[in-house]
Each structure stands twice: as structure tokens, then as C-alpha cells.
């Protein structure tokens, strides 16, 4: 096996996508609506794994496991524009194609750094950080 082949065979073990609510699909904020991954089918892909610049396991204000993520300037711009136009609408945070959380956009998110919640444990958040920061996941940053 050649050195280049070993790198090519490495694959990112973690897939992170942040998806917008599909255009034209109704959503009642404050109503009892259990969102699932299929609710976001057709939504705009706002952030993808390759656009994560940094990730750090942390905790939210209630002490629950979280991951603080910073994204590229292109992803920051797209996310900022989307959240400014879609107040009171959910966004889907997907980890390995499973809906992790579906927060409601309360105000435009412009800084390019966000805290993701919904992790099962501190270890789960830490493992996600390690995978996102691995060479396999960071190979094409800059999109």
C-alpha cells in the first residue's frame, strides 16, 4: 500500500449537518410538535462537516453536554442569512444522519460559532469533538 492510499482510505467517522426548515412546510411554534429527521427532508443544507473549523466539547448553561462549533466564513454567511430570514422556525442539527436537536431560531445567528446540544453524555460530546477534529474530517476544510 502506498502512503497516499492510506490517507485516501481514511474516512471521517462523524457527519455533522445543519439543515433549514423546508420552504412551504408549515410549522406551529409553541404547539406540541415532535420533530423527526424526516421533517427536514428538502431543507437547505446550511452547514456540513467539511465547514467545521473547530469543535470543542463543553456544557450549556444548565450543565448539559454540548459542543461549541465554529464554521468557515462561507458557512457563517449562509447560516447568518438563513437565520435572519427564518425567525421562529426550527433548524435541524444532524449527527451521523440522526436528528440531534431542532432548536427554534429566535434571532439571527451571525458569529459563525454555535453551541450544539442534545448529546447523550459528556463522553458523546467529547468523542464527537475528536472525530470532527480528526485529519480525516478536516481534510477538505475551506468550502
Amino acid at each position: 500500500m502506498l502512503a497516499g492510499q492510506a490517507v485516501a482510505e481514511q474516512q471521517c467517522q462523524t457527519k455533522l449537518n445543519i439543515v433549514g426548515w423546508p420552504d412551504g412546510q408549515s410549522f406551529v411554534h409553541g404547539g406540541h410538535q415532535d420533530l423527526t429527521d424526516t421533517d427536514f427532508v428538502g431543507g437547505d443544507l446550511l452547514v456540513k462537516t467539511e465547514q467545521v473549523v473547530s469543535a470543542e466539547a463543553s456544557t450549556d448553561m444548565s450543565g448539559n453536554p454540548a459542543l461549541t462549533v465554529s464554521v468557515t466564513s462561507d458557512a457563517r454567511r449562509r447560516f447568518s442569512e438563513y437565520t435572519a430570514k427564518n425567525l421562529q422556525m426550527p433548524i435541524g442539527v444532524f449527527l451521523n444522519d440522526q436528528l440531534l436537536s431542532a432548536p427554534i431560531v429566535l434571532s439571527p445567528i451571525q458569529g459563525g460559532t454555535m453551541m450544539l446540544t442534545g448529546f447523550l453524555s459528556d463522553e458523546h460530546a467529547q468523542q464527537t469533538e475528536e472525530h470532527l477534529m480528526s485529519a480525516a474530517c478536516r481534510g477538505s476544510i475551506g468550502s
Side-chain angles (χ1 to χ4, degrees), residues 21 24-31 33 35 88-90 102 104:
W21 190 252
Q25 186 169 322
S26 64
F27 174 75
V28 179
H29 179 64
Q33 184 169 356
L35 298 176
Q88 304 301 315
M89 299 300 286
I104 305 299

Side-chain angles (χ1 to χ4, degrees), residues 27-133:
F27 174 75
V28 179
H29 179 64
H32 180 70
Q33 184 169 356
D34 292 323
L35 298 176
T36 67
D37 53 352
T38 57
D39 290 319
F40 291 91
V41 171
D44 291 336
L45 179 60
L46 305 173
V47 177
K48 57 186 178 181
T49 307
E50 296 83 10
Q51 294 172 310
V52 174
V53 175
S54 67
E56 183 177 347
S58 57
T59 56
D60 65 14
M61 291 173 39
S62 299
N64 298 313
L67 188 70
T68 301
V69 174
S70 295
V71 298
T72 64
S73 60
D74 287 346
R76 179 180 61 230
R77 179 190 47 76
R78 184 171 173 82
F79 195 68
S80 175
E81 288 173 1
Y82 179 86
T83 58
K85 294 177 184 174
N86 290 279
L87 298 176
Q88 304 301 315
M89 299 300 286
I91 54 173
V93 179
F94 289 83
L95 186 61
N96 298 326
D97 296 322
Q98 299 291 317
L99 185 63
L100 179 67
S101 64
I104 305 299
V105 177
L106 299 178
S107 62
I109 302 169
Q110 301 175 339
T113 299
M114 58 202 85
M115 181 176 284
L116 308 178
T117 59
F119 292 92
L120 302 174
S121 65
D122 291 334
E123 293 77 21
H124 185 214
Q126 181 66 42
Q127 182 181 42
T128 303
E129 171 194 334
E130 291 168 4
H131 287 184
L132 287 173
M133 294 295 89

Side-chain angles (χ1 to χ4, degrees), residues 1-12 136:
M1 180 181 335
L2 301 173
Q5 288 176 320
V7 172
E9 290 176 9
Q10 283 184 337
Q11 293 183 352
C12 181

